Amino acid sequence: MSKQKLAIVSITPRQGATTGGFTVRVEGRGFGAGLRVKLGENAVIDLKLIDAHSLEFVAPAASKAGYVDLELQDGEAHTQKNAFRYEAAPPPVIHSVVPSRGPTAGGIDVRILGENFVPWSRVTFQNRRPLSIILLDGNTLEIIPPPGAHGELVDITVTNPDGAETTAKRAFVYDKRFDAKT
């Protein structure tokens, strides 16, 4: 029995935010092992082949809003033009940083409270990456700051995968008085 020709019958949902990170389901035919999928210019994330007629993936971030093609390839290629519409996502917003002081060694839990945080949001502490970042929900990031010098006031920047960012100026201060408490 010969392999069915690649075809796309439906895509659900047909639009989503430029930040990506949401699940898309594609129904069609001819899906098999070795299938590669691109949404716009980017390879999809976490591709799951359910069977020869359906697959799911996590949408990658897009650099701008607008329509993009869905491309399936497994030796032959099938492209559905303007199959998906990326919509501009609201930029992240920082309301507060709790606590706003900490030890020079870093290493404490700090919560960034705000809005529009998404999976794969990046955080910098005065241009340094924190030791860990956990997205608790769309309004809360939990980070462990890197070490810093006593008295250093740092800007904290949150950047979403689509490039939208926000910076809280002088949001955290390293204080050696907290060193003995950790």
Side-chain angles (χ1 to χ4, degrees), residues 86-140:
Y86 276 107
E87 299 171 338
V93 175
I94 298 173
H95 293 302
S96 62
V97 176
V98 180
S100 60
R101 296 180 162 273
T104 59
I108 63 168
D109 289 338
V110 173
R111 290 198 174 189
I112 300 171
L113 306 173
E115 301 172 40
N116 307 322
F117 302 145
V118 297
W120 306 297
S121 289
R122 292 185 322 269
V123 177
T124 56
F125 242 61
Q126 199 70 24
N127 300 319
R128 295 184 308 261
R129 297 187 68 81
L131 303 176
S132 76
I133 303 169
I134 298 171
L135 174 68
L136 298 179
D137 58 44
N139 300 316
T140 311

